[in-house]
Amino acid sequence: GAGVSQSPSNKVTEKGKDVELRCDPISGHTALYWYRQSLGQGLEFLIYFQGNSAPDKSGLPSDRFSAERTGGSVSTLTIQRTQQEDSAVYLCASSVSLGGRTISYEQYFGPGTRLTVT
Amino acid sequence: SQQGEEDPQALSIQEGENATMNCSYKTSINNLQWYRQNSGRGLVHLILIRSNEREKHSGRLRVTLDTSKKSSSLLITASRAADTASYFCATDDFNKFYFGSGTKLNVKP
């Protein structure tokens, strides 16, 4: 079946511009995560969506970052007024989880969007 | 921070040898998972071990978990050149996942 897809795969933008990154999770997965990975580093948690609950935004590095998830499926991560330090690979993942206290399942990752801010 | 930390940061071995990577974390966990990443792109789930389990096997992979020491190890037996990748451990507290900075494994043919 189809996995997690992300678009674009690569994005080069000028400092100060806004960018939108898209994630299509696996159908039926209620949990969706965004991570950022700088070159040679680990994954930095950004935001987490679970069903219709309010998202956990505790990892967003600044108010220039925001994310939405429409209809419990597709998600968009928006970075406003991009800075050079925003250059990284942005990874999206989805997983199955149950209502109530979430039971963690393995995450399925998309291929990522490589963002370069010049 | 609950973030897992892998050790060593880099490991280079010959094909056929075993590779052992370690992960340490700081607080109580629900599960611990190991992931693999090729070429800085998407991660692939390898194995999950629950907090009440001590050891788990999957093919050439063996994972151990010691909750008293807050540590886990991933053993890859009879390594192959295709195992060359970065390996990450991830812990969770039901809602959020915490990844370490990874071990970069190089398997020389």
Coordinates of all heavy atoms in Angstrom, one line a residue, chain A residues 15-115:
Chain A
K15 N 16.0 33.7 2.0 CA 15.8 34.2 3.4 C 14.7 35.2 3.4 O 14.6 36.1 2.5 CB 17.1 34.8 3.9 CG 17.0 35.4 5.3 CD 18.3 36.0 5.7 CE 18.2 36.7 7.0 NZ 19.5 37.3 7.4
G16 N 13.8 35.0 4.3 CA 12.7 36.0 4.5 C 11.4 35.5 3.8 O 10.3 36.0 4.1
K17 N 11.5 34.5 2.9 CA 10.3 34.0 2.2 C 9.6 33.0 3.1 O 10.2 32.4 4.0 CB 10.6 33.3 0.9 CG 11.4 34.2 -0.1 CD 10.4 35.1 -0.8 CE 11.1 35.8 -2.0 NZ 10.2 36.8 -2.7
D18 N 8.3 32.8 2.9 CA 7.5 31.8 3.5 C 7.5 30.5 2.7 O 7.6 30.5 1.5 CB 6.1 32.2 3.7 CG 5.9 33.4 4.6 OD1 6.9 33.9 5.2 OD2 4.8 34.0 4.6
V19 N 7.5 29.3 3.4 CA 7.4 28.0 2.7 C 6.4 27.2 3.3 O 6.1 27.3 4.5 CB 8.8 27.3 2.7 CG1 9.8 28.0 1.9 CG2 9.3 27.0 4.1
E20 N 5.8 26.3 2.5 CA 4.8 25.3 3.0 C 5.3 23.9 2.6 O 5.6 23.7 1.5 CB 3.5 25.6 2.4 CG 2.7 26.7 3.0 CD 1.2 26.8 2.5 OE1 0.9 26.0 1.6 OE2 0.5 27.6 3.0
L21 N 5.3 23.1 3.6 CA 5.7 21.7 3.4 C 4.5 20.8 3.6 O 3.8 21.0 4.6 CB 6.9 21.3 4.3 CG 8.0 22.3 4.4 CD1 9.1 21.7 5.4 CD2 8.7 22.5 3.0
R22 N 4.3 19.8 2.7 CA 3.1 19.0 2.8 C 3.4 17.6 3.2 O 4.5 17.0 2.8 CB 2.4 19.0 1.5 CG 1.1 18.2 1.4 CD 0.6 18.1 0.0 NE -0.4 17.1 -0.2 CZ -1.7 17.4 -0.3 NH1 -2.2 18.6 -0.3 NH2 -2.6 16.4 -0.4
C23 N 2.5 17.0 3.9 CA 2.7 15.5 4.3 C 1.3 14.8 4.1 O 0.3 15.3 4.7 CB 3.1 15.4 5.8 SG 3.1 13.7 6.4
D24 N 1.4 13.7 3.4 CA 0.2 12.8 3.3 C 0.5 11.6 4.1 O 1.3 10.7 3.6 CB -0.1 12.5 1.8 CG -0.7 13.6 1.1 OD1 0.0 14.5 0.5 OD2 -1.9 13.6 1.0
P25 N -0.2 11.4 5.2 CA 0.1 10.2 6.0 C -0.6 8.9 5.4 O -1.4 9.0 4.4 CB -0.6 10.5 7.3 CG -1.7 11.4 7.0 CD -1.3 12.2 5.8
I26 N -0.3 7.8 6.0 CA -0.9 6.6 5.6 C -2.4 6.6 6.0 O -2.7 7.1 7.1 CB -0.2 5.4 6.2 CG1 1.2 5.2 5.7 CG2 -1.0 4.1 6.0 CD1 2.0 4.2 6.3
S27 N -3.3 6.2 5.1 CA -4.7 6.2 5.3 C -5.0 5.5 6.6 O -4.6 4.3 6.8 CB -5.4 5.7 4.1 OG -6.8 5.6 4.4
G28 N -5.8 6.1 7.5 CA -6.2 5.4 8.7 C -5.3 5.7 9.9 O -5.7 5.3 11.0
H29 N -4.2 6.2 9.6 CA -3.3 6.6 10.8 C -3.8 7.9 11.4 O -3.8 8.9 10.7 CB -1.8 6.7 10.3 CG -1.1 5.5 10.0 ND1 0.2 5.4 9.8 CD2 -1.6 4.2 10.0 CE1 0.6 4.1 9.7 NE2 -0.5 3.4 9.8
T30 N -4.0 7.8 12.7 CA -4.6 9.0 13.3 C -3.5 9.9 13.9 O -3.8 11.1 14.2 CB -5.6 8.6 14.5 OG1 -4.8 7.8 15.4 CG2 -6.7 7.8 13.9
A31 N -2.3 9.4 14.1 CA -1.2 10.2 14.7 C -0.3 10.6 13.6 O 0.1 9.9 12.7 CB -0.5 9.4 15.7
L32 N 0.1 11.9 13.6 CA 1.0 12.5 12.6 C 2.0 13.3 13.4 O 1.7 14.1 14.2 CB 0.2 13.3 11.6 CG 1.0 13.8 10.4 CD1 0.1 13.9 9.2 CD2 1.6 15.2 10.7
Y33 N 3.3 13.2 13.0 CA 4.4 13.9 13.6 C 5.2 14.6 12.6 O 5.4 14.1 11.4 CB 5.3 12.9 14.3 CG 4.7 11.9 15.2 CD1 4.0 10.8 14.7 CD2 4.7 12.1 16.6 CE1 3.4 9.9 15.6 CE2 4.1 11.2 17.5 CZ 3.5 10.1 17.0 OH 2.9 9.2 17.8
W34 N 5.7 15.8 13.0 CA 6.7 16.5 12.2 C 8.0 16.5 13.0 O 8.0 16.8 14.2 CB 6.3 17.9 11.9 CG 5.3 18.0 10.8 CD1 3.9 18.2 10.9 CD2 5.6 18.1 9.4 NE1 3.4 18.3 9.6 CE2 4.3 18.2 8.7 CE3 6.7 18.0 8.6 CZ2 4.3 18.3 7.3 CZ3 6.7 18.1 7.2 CH2 5.4 18.2 6.6
Y35 N 9.1 16.3 12.3 CA 10.5 16.4 12.9 C 11.4 17.2 12.0 O 11.1 17.3 10.8 CB 11.1 15.0 13.0 CG 10.4 14.0 13.9 CD1 9.4 13.1 13.4 CD2 10.7 13.9 15.3 CE1 8.8 12.2 14.2 CE2 10.1 13.0 16.1 CZ 9.1 12.2 15.6 OH 8.5 11.3 16.4
R36 N 12.4 17.7 12.6 CA 13.5 18.4 11.8 C 14.8 17.7 12.1 O 15.1 17.4 13.2 CB 13.5 19.9 12.2 CG 14.6 20.7 11.5 CD 14.4 22.2 11.8 NE 14.7 22.6 13.1 CZ 14.8 23.8 13.5 NH1 14.5 24.8 12.7 NH2 15.1 24.1 14.8
Q37 N 15.5 17.6 11.0 CA 16.9 16.9 11.2 C 17.9 17.8 10.4 O 17.9 17.9 9.2 CB 16.9 15.5 10.6 CG 18.2 14.8 10.8 CD 18.1 13.3 10.3 OE1 17.4 13.0 9.3 NE2 18.8 12.4 11.0
S38 N 18.8 18.4 11.2 CA 19.9 19.1 10.6 C 21.0 18.1 10.2 O 21.0 17.0 10.7 CB 20.4 20.1 11.6 OG 19.4 21.0 12.0
L39 N 21.9 18.5 9.4 CA 22.9 17.7 8.8 C 23.6 16.9 9.8 O 24.2 17.5 10.7 CB 23.8 18.5 7.9 CG 24.8 17.7 7.1 CD1 24.1 16.8 6.1 CD2 25.8 18.6 6.3
G40 N 23.6 15.6 9.7 CA 24.4 14.7 10.6 C 23.9 14.7 12.1 O 24.5 14.1 12.9
Q41 N 22.7 15.2 12.3 CA 22.1 15.2 13.6 C 20.9 14.3 13.8 O 20.5 13.7 12.8 CB 21.7 16.7 14.0 CG 22.8 17.7 13.9 CD 23.9 17.4 14.8 OE1 23.7 17.2 16.0 NE2 25.1 17.4 14.4
G42 N 20.5 14.2 15.0 CA 19.3 13.4 15.3 C 18.0 14.1 14.9 O 18.1 15.2 14.3
L43 N 16.9 13.5 15.2 CA 15.6 14.1 14.9 C 15.1 15.0 16.0 O 15.2 14.7 17.2 CB 14.6 13.1 14.7 CG 14.5 12.5 13.3 CD1 15.7 11.7 12.9 CD2 13.2 11.6 13.1
E44 N 14.7 16.2 15.7 CA 14.1 17.2 16.6 C 12.6 17.2 16.5 O 12.1 17.5 15.4 CB 14.7 18.5 16.3 CG 14.2 19.7 17.2 CD 14.7 21.0 16.7 OE1 15.4 21.1 15.7 OE2 14.3 22.0 17.4
F45 N 11.9 16.8 17.5 CA 10.4 16.8 17.5 C 9.9 18.2 17.3 O 10.4 19.2 18.0 CB 9.9 16.2 18.8 CG 8.4 16.4 19.0 CD1 7.5 15.6 18.4 CD2 8.0 17.4 19.8 CE1 6.2 15.8 18.6 CE2 6.7 17.7 20.1 CZ 5.7 16.9 19.4
L46 N 9.0 18.4 16.4 CA 8.4 19.7 16.2 C 6.9 19.8 16.7 O 6.6 20.6 17.5 CB 8.4 20.1 14.7 CG 9.8 20.3 14.1 CD1 9.7 20.6 12.6 CD2 10.6 21.3 14.8
I47 N 6.1 18.9 16.2 CA 4.7 18.9 16.5 C 4.0 17.6 16.3 O 4.5 16.8 15.5 CB 3.9 20.0 15.6 CG1 2.5 20.3 16.1 CG2 4.0 19.6 14.1 CD1 1.9 21.5 15.5
Y48 N 2.9 17.3 17.0 CA 2.3 16.0 17.0 C 0.8 16.3 16.9 O 0.2 17.0 17.7 CB 2.7 15.3 18.2 CG 1.8 14.1 18.7 CD1 1.6 13.0 17.9 CD2 1.1 14.2 19.9 CE1 0.8 12.0 18.3 CE2 0.3 13.2 20.3 CZ 0.1 12.0 19.5 OH -0.7 11.0 19.9
F49 N 0.1 15.6 16.0 CA -1.4 15.6 15.9 C -1.9 14.2 16.2 O -1.3 13.2 15.8 CB -1.8 15.9 14.4 CG -1.4 17.3 14.0 CD1 -0.2 17.5 13.4 CD2 -2.3 18.3 14.1 CE1 0.1 18.8 12.9 CE2 -2.0 19.6 13.7 CZ -0.7 19.8 13.1
Q50 N -2.9 14.1 17.0 CA -3.6 12.9 17.3 C -5.1 13.1 17.1 O -5.7 13.8 18.0 CB -3.2 12.4 18.7 CG -4.1 11.4 19.3 CD -4.3 10.1 18.5 OE1 -3.6 9.9 17.5 NE2 -5.2 9.2 18.9
G51 N -5.6 12.5 16.1 CA -7.1 12.6 15.9 C -7.6 14.0 15.8 O -7.0 14.9 15.2
N52 N -8.6 14.2 16.6 CA -9.2 15.6 16.6 C -8.7 16.4 17.8 O -9.3 17.5 18.1 CB -10.7 15.5 16.7 CG -11.3 14.9 15.4 OD1 -10.8 15.1 14.3 ND2 -12.3 14.0 15.6
S53 N -7.8 15.8 18.6 CA -7.3 16.5 19.7 C -6.4 17.7 19.3 O -5.9 17.8 18.2 CB -6.4 15.6 20.6 OG -7.2 14.5 21.0
A54 N -6.3 18.7 20.3 CA -5.4 19.8 20.0 C -4.0 19.3 19.8 O -3.5 18.4 20.6 CB -5.5 20.8 21.2
P55 N -3.3 19.8 18.8 CA -1.9 19.3 18.6 C -1.0 19.7 19.7 O -1.2 20.7 20.4 CB -1.5 20.0 17.3 CG -2.4 21.2 17.2 CD -3.7 20.9 17.8
D56 N 0.0 18.9 19.8 CA 1.1 19.2 20.8 C 2.2 20.0 20.0 O 2.9 19.4 19.2 CB 1.7 17.9 21.3 CG 2.8 18.1 22.3 OD1 3.4 19.2 22.4 OD2 3.1 17.1 23.1
K57 N 2.2 21.3 20.3 CA 3.1 22.2 19.6 C 4.4 22.5 20.3 O 5.1 23.4 20.0 CB 2.4 23.5 19.3 CG 1.1 23.4 18.5 CD 0.5 24.7 18.3 CE -0.8 24.7 17.6 NZ -1.4 26.0 17.4
S58 N 4.7 21.7 21.4 CA 5.7 22.0 22.3 C 7.1 22.1 21.7 O 8.0 22.7 22.2 CB 5.7 21.1 23.5 OG 5.9 19.7 23.0
G59 N 7.3 21.4 20.5 CA 8.6 21.4 19.9 C 8.9 22.4 18.9 O 10.0 22.6 18.4
L60 N 7.9 23.2 18.5 CA 8.1 24.3 17.5 C 9.1 25.3 18.0 O 8.9 25.8 19.1 CB 6.7 25.0 17.2 CG 5.7 24.1 16.5 CD1 4.4 24.9 16.3 CD2 6.2 23.5 15.2
P61 N 10.1 25.6 17.2 CA 11.2 26.4 17.7 C 10.9 27.9 17.9 O 11.6 28.6 18.6 CB 12.4 26.1 16.7 CG 11.6 25.7 15.5 CD 10.4 25.0 15.9
S62 N 10.0 28.4 17.1 CA 9.6 29.8 17.2 C 8.2 30.0 16.6 O 7.6 29.0 16.1 CB 10.6 30.6 16.4 OG 10.3 30.5 15.0
D63 N 7.7 31.2 16.8 CA 6.3 31.4 16.3 C 6.3 31.6 14.8 O 5.2 31.8 14.2 CB 5.7 32.7 17.0 CG 6.5 33.9 16.8 OD1 7.5 33.9 16.0 OD2 6.2 34.9 17.4
R64 N 7.5 31.5 14.2 CA 7.5 31.5 12.7 C 7.0 30.1 12.1 O 6.7 30.0 11.0 CB 8.9 31.8 12.2 CG 9.4 33.2 12.5 CD 10.7 33.5 11.8 NE 11.8 32.6 12.3 CZ 12.3 31.6 11.6 NH1 11.8 31.3 10.4 NH2 13.3 30.8 12.1
F65 N 7.0 29.1 13.0 CA 6.6 27.8 12.6 C 5.1 27.5 13.0 O 4.7 27.8 14.1 CB 7.5 26.7 13.3 CG 8.9 26.7 12.7 CD1 9.8 27.7 13.0 CD2 9.3 25.6 12.0 CE1 11.1 27.6 12.5 CE2 10.6 25.5 11.5 CZ 11.5 26.5 11.8
S66 N 4.4 26.9 12.1 CA 3.0 26.5 12.4 C 2.7 25.3 11.6 O 3.3 25.0 10.6 CB 2.0 27.7 12.2 OG 2.0 28.0 10.8
A67 N 1.7 24.6 12.0 CA 1.3 23.4 11.3 C -0.2 23.2 11.4 O -0.8 23.6 12.4 CB 2.0 22.1 11.7
E68 N -0.8 22.7 10.3 CA -2.2 22.3 10.3 C -2.4 20.9 9.9 O -1.6 20.4 9.1 CB -3.0 23.3 9.4 CG -3.1 24.7 9.9 CD -4.0 25.5 8.9 OE1 -4.2 25.1 7.8 OE2 -4.4 26.6 9.3
R69 N -3.5 20.3 10.3 CA -3.9 19.0 9.7 C -5.4 19.1 9.4 O -6.2 19.2 10.3 CB -3.6 17.9 10.8 CG -3.8 16.5 10.1 CD -3.5 15.4 11.1 NE -3.5 14.2 10.4 CZ -3.5 13.0 11.0 NH1 -3.4 12.9 12.3 NH2 -3.6 11.9 10.3
T70 N -5.7 19.0 8.1 CA -7.1 19.2 7.7 C -7.7 17.9 7.6 O -7.2 16.9 7.0 CB -7.1 19.9 6.3 OG1 -6.2 19.2 5.4 CG2 -6.6 21.3 6.5
G71 N -8.9 17.8 8.1 CA -9.7 16.6 8.0 C -9.1 15.3 8.5 O -9.4 14.2 8.2
G72 N -8.2 15.5 9.5 CA -7.5 14.4 10.1 C -6.6 13.6 9.2 O -6.2 12.5 9.5
S73 N -6.2 14.3 8.0 CA -5.4 13.5 7.1 C -4.1 14.4 6.8 O -3.2 14.4 7.5 CB -6.2 13.2 5.9 OG -5.3 12.5 5.0
V74 N -4.2 15.1 5.7 CA -3.1 15.9 5.2 C -2.6 16.9 6.1 O -3.5 17.6 6.8 CB -3.4 16.5 3.8 CG1 -2.3 17.4 3.4 CG2 -3.7 15.4 2.8
S75 N -1.3 17.1 6.3 CA -0.8 18.1 7.1 C 0.1 19.1 6.4 O 0.8 18.6 5.4 CB 0.0 17.5 8.3 OG 0.5 18.5 9.1
T76 N 0.1 20.3 6.8 CA 1.0 21.3 6.2 C 1.8 22.0 7.3 O 1.2 22.5 8.3 CB 0.2 22.4 5.4 OG1 -0.6 21.8 4.4 CG2 1.1 23.4 4.8
L77 N 3.1 22.0 7.1 CA 4.0 22.7 8.0 C 4.4 24.0 7.3 O 4.9 24.0 6.2 CB 5.2 21.9 8.3 CG 6.3 22.5 9.2 CD1 5.8 22.7 10.6 CD2 7.6 21.7 9.2
T78 N 4.2 25.1 7.9 CA 4.5 26.4 7.3 C 5.6 27.1 8.1 O 5.5 27.1 9.4 CB 3.2 27.3 7.3 OG1 2.2 26.7 6.6 CG2 3.6 28.7 6.7
I79 N 6.6 27.6 7.4 CA 7.6 28.4 8.1 C 7.6 29.8 7.5 O 7.7 29.9 6.2 CB 9.0 27.8 7.8 CG1 9.0 26.3 8.2 CG2 10.1 28.5 8.6 CD1 10.3 25.6 7.9
Q80 N 7.3 30.8 8.3 CA 7.3 32.1 7.8 C 8.6 32.8 8.0 O 9.4 32.5 8.9 CB 6.2 32.9 8.6 CG 4.8 32.4 8.4 CD 3.8 33.1 9.3 OE1 4.0 33.3 10.5 NE2 2.7 33.6 8.6
R81 N 8.9 33.7 7.1 CA 10.1 34.6 7.1 C 11.3 33.7 7.4 O 12.1 33.8 8.4 CB 10.0 35.6 8.2 CG 8.8 36.5 8.1 CD 8.7 37.5 9.2 NE 8.6 37.0 10.5 CZ 7.6 36.4 11.1 NH1 6.4 36.4 10.4 NH2 7.6 36.0 12.3
T82 N 11.6 32.7 6.5 CA 12.6 31.7 6.7 C 14.0 32.3 7.0 O 14.3 33.4 6.5 CB 12.7 30.8 5.5 OG1 12.9 31.6 4.3 CG2 11.5 29.9 5.4
Q83 N 14.7 31.7 7.8 CA 16.1 32.0 8.2 C 17.0 30.9 7.7 O 16.6 29.8 7.5 CB 16.2 32.2 9.7 CG 15.2 33.3 10.2 CD 15.5 34.7 9.7 OE1 16.7 35.1 9.8 NE2 14.5 35.4 9.3
Q84 N 18.3 31.2 7.6 CA 19.3 30.2 7.2 C 19.3 29.0 8.1 O 19.5 27.9 7.7 CB 20.6 30.9 7.0 CG 20.7 31.7 5.7 CD 22.1 32.3 5.5 OE1 22.9 32.5 6.4 NE2 22.4 32.5 4.2
E85 N 19.1 29.3 9.4 CA 19.2 28.2 10.4 C 18.0 27.2 10.2 O 18.0 26.2 10.9 CB 19.3 28.7 11.8 CG 18.1 29.6 12.2 CD 18.4 31.1 12.1 OE1 19.2 31.4 11.2 OE2 17.8 31.8 12.9
D86 N 17.0 27.6 9.4 CA 15.9 26.7 9.2 C 16.2 25.6 8.2 O 15.5 24.7 8.0 CB 14.7 27.5 8.6 CG 14.1 28.5 9.6 OD1 14.4 28.4 10.8 OD2 13.5 29.5 9.1
S87 N 17.4 25.8 7.5 CA 17.8 24.8 6.5 C 18.0 23.4 7.2 O 18.7 23.3 8.2 CB 19.1 25.2 5.9 OG 19.0 26.4 5.1
A88 N 17.3 22.4 6.7 CA 17.3 21.1 7.3 C 16.4 20.2 6.5 O 15.8 20.6 5.5 CB 16.8 21.1 8.8
V89 N 16.4 18.9 6.9 CA 15.4 18.0 6.3 C 14.2 17.9 7.2 O 14.4 17.7 8.5 CB 16.0 16.6 6.1 CG1 14.9 15.6 5.6 CG2 17.2 16.6 5.1
Y90 N 13.1 18.1 6.7 CA 11.8 18.0 7.5 C 11.1 16.7 7.2 O 10.8 16.4 6.1 CB 10.9 19.3 7.2 CG 11.5 20.5 7.8 CD1 12.5 21.2 7.1 CD2 11.2 21.0 9.0 CE1 13.1 22.3 7.6 CE2 11.7 22.2 9.5 CZ 12.7 22.8 8.8 OH 13.3 23.9 9.3
L91 N 11.0 15.9 8.3 CA 10.4 14.6 8.2 C 9.1 14.5 8.8 O 8.8 15.1 9.9 CB 11.4 13.6 8.8 CG 12.7 13.4 8.2 CD1 13.7 12.7 9.2 CD2 12.6 12.5 6.9
C92 N 8.2 13.8 8.1 CA 6.8 13.6 8.6 C 6.7 12.1 8.9 O 7.3 11.3 8.1 CB 5.8 14.1 7.6 SG 4.1 13.7 8.0
A93 N 6.0 11.7 9.9 CA 5.7 10.3 10.2 C 4.3 10.2 10.7 O 3.7 11.1 11.2 CB 6.7 9.8 11.3
S94 N 3.7 9.0 10.4 CA 2.4 8.7 10.9 C 2.4 7.4 11.6 O 3.3 6.5 11.4 CB 1.3 8.8 9.8 OG 1.5 7.7 8.9
S95 N 1.4 7.2 12.5 CA 1.3 5.9 13.2 C -0.1 5.6 13.6 O -0.9 6.6 13.7 CB 2.2 5.8 14.4 OG 1.8 6.7 15.4
V96 N -0.4 4.4 13.8 CA -1.7 4.0 14.4 C -1.7 4.2 15.8 O -0.7 4.0 16.5 CB -1.9 2.5 14.1 CG1 -3.2 2.0 14.7 CG2 -2.0 2.2 12.6
S97 N -2.8 4.8 16.3 CA -2.9 4.9 17.8 C -4.4 4.8 18.2 O -5.2 5.0 17.3 CB -2.3 6.2 18.3 OG -2.9 7.3 17.7
L98 N -4.6 4.5 19.4 CA -6.0 4.3 19.8 C -6.4 5.5 20.6 O -5.7 6.3 21.1 CB -6.0 3.0 20.7 CG -5.5 1.8 20.1 CD1 -5.7 0.6 21.0 CD2 -6.3 1.5 18.8
G99 N -7.7 5.6 20.8 CA -8.3 6.7 21.6 C -7.9 6.5 23.1 O -7.3 5.5 23.5
G100 N -8.2 7.5 23.9 CA -7.9 7.5 25.3 C -6.4 7.6 25.4 O -5.8 8.4 24.7
R101 N -5.8 6.9 26.3 CA -4.4 7.0 26.5 C -3.7 6.3 25.2 O -3.9 5.1 25.0 CB -3.9 6.3 27.7 CG -2.5 6.6 28.1 CD -2.1 6.2 29.5 NE -0.9 6.9 29.9 CZ -0.1 6.5 30.8 NH1 -0.4 5.4 31.5 NH2 1.0 7.1 31.1
T102 N -2.9 7.1 24.5 CA -2.4 6.6 23.3 C -1.5 5.4 23.5 O -0.7 5.4 24.4 CB -1.6 7.7 22.6 OG1 -2.5 8.8 22.4 CG2 -1.1 7.2 21.2
I103 N -1.7 4.4 22.7 CA -0.8 3.3 22.7 C 0.1 3.4 21.5 O -0.3 3.6 20.4 CB -1.5 1.9 22.6 CG1 -2.4 1.7 23.8 CG2 -0.6 0.8 22.4 CD1 -3.3 0.5 23.8
S104 N 1.4 3.5 21.8 CA 2.3 3.8 20.7 C 2.6 2.6 19.8 O 2.7 1.5 20.2 CB 3.7 4.2 21.3 OG 3.5 5.2 22.2
Y105 N 2.6 3.0 18.5 CA 3.0 2.0 17.5 C 4.1 2.6 16.7 O 4.5 3.7 16.8 CB 1.8 1.8 16.5 CG 0.7 0.9 17.1 CD1 -0.2 1.4 18.0 CD2 0.6 -0.5 16.8 CE1 -1.2 0.6 18.6 CE2 -0.3 -1.3 17.4 CZ -1.2 -0.8 18.2 OH -2.2 -1.6 18.8
E106 N 4.7 1.7 15.9 CA 5.9 2.2 15.1 C 5.4 3.3 14.2 O 4.3 3.4 13.8 CB 6.4 1.0 14.3 CG 5.5 0.5 13.3 CD 6.0 -0.8 12.6 OE1 5.8 -1.8 13.1 OE2 6.6 -0.6 11.5
Q107 N 6.4 4.2 13.9 CA 6.1 5.3 13.1 C 6.6 4.9 11.7 O 7.6 4.3 11.5 CB 6.9 6.5 13.5 CG 6.4 7.0 14.9 CD 7.1 8.2 15.3 OE1 6.9 9.3 14.8 NE2 8.0 8.1 16.2
Y108 N 5.8 5.4 10.7 CA 6.2 5.3 9.3 C 6.6 6.6 8.8 O 5.8 7.6 8.8 CB 5.0 4.7 8.5 CG 4.6 3.3 8.9 CD1 3.8 3.1 10.0 CD2 5.1 2.2 8.2 CE1 3.5 1.8 10.4 CE2 4.7 0.9 8.6 CZ 3.9 0.7 9.7 OH 3.6 -0.6 10.1
F109 N 7.8 6.7 8.3 CA 8.3 8.0 7.9 C 8.2 8.2 6.4 O 8.3 7.3 5.6 CB 9.8 8.1 8.2 CG 10.0 8.4 9.7 CD1 10.0 7.4 10.6 CD2 10.3 9.7 10.1 CE1 10.2 7.7 12.0 CE2 10.5 10.0 11.4 CZ 10.5 9.0 12.4
G110 N 7.9 9.5 6.0 CA 8.0 9.9 4.6 C 9.5 10.1 4.3 O 10.4 10.0 5.1
P111 N 9.8 10.4 3.0 CA 11.1 10.6 2.5 C 11.8 11.9 2.9 O 13.0 12.1 2.8 CB 11.0 10.5 1.0 CG 9.6 10.9 0.7 CD 8.8 10.5 1.9
G112 N 10.9 12.8 3.4 CA 11.4 14.1 3.9 C 11.4 15.2 2.8 O 11.4 14.9 1.6
T113 N 11.5 16.4 3.3 CA 11.7 17.6 2.4 C 13.0 18.2 2.8 O 13.1 18.6 4.0 CB 10.5 18.6 2.5 OG1 9.3 18.0 2.0 CG2 10.9 19.9 1.7
R114 N 13.9 18.4 1.9 CA 15.2 19.1 2.2 C 15.0 20.5 1.9 O 14.8 20.9 0.7 CB 16.3 18.5 1.3 CG 17.7 19.1 1.7 CD 18.8 18.4 0.9 NE 18.9 17.0 1.1 CZ 19.5 16.4 2.1 NH1 20.1 17.1 3.0 NH2 19.6 15.1 2.2
L115 N 15.0 21.3 2.9 CA 14.8 22.8 2.8 C 16.2 23.5 2.9 O 17.0 23.3 3.8 CB 13.9 23.3 3.9 CG 13.7 24.8 3.9 CD1 13.0 25.3 2.7 CD2 13.0 25.3 5.2

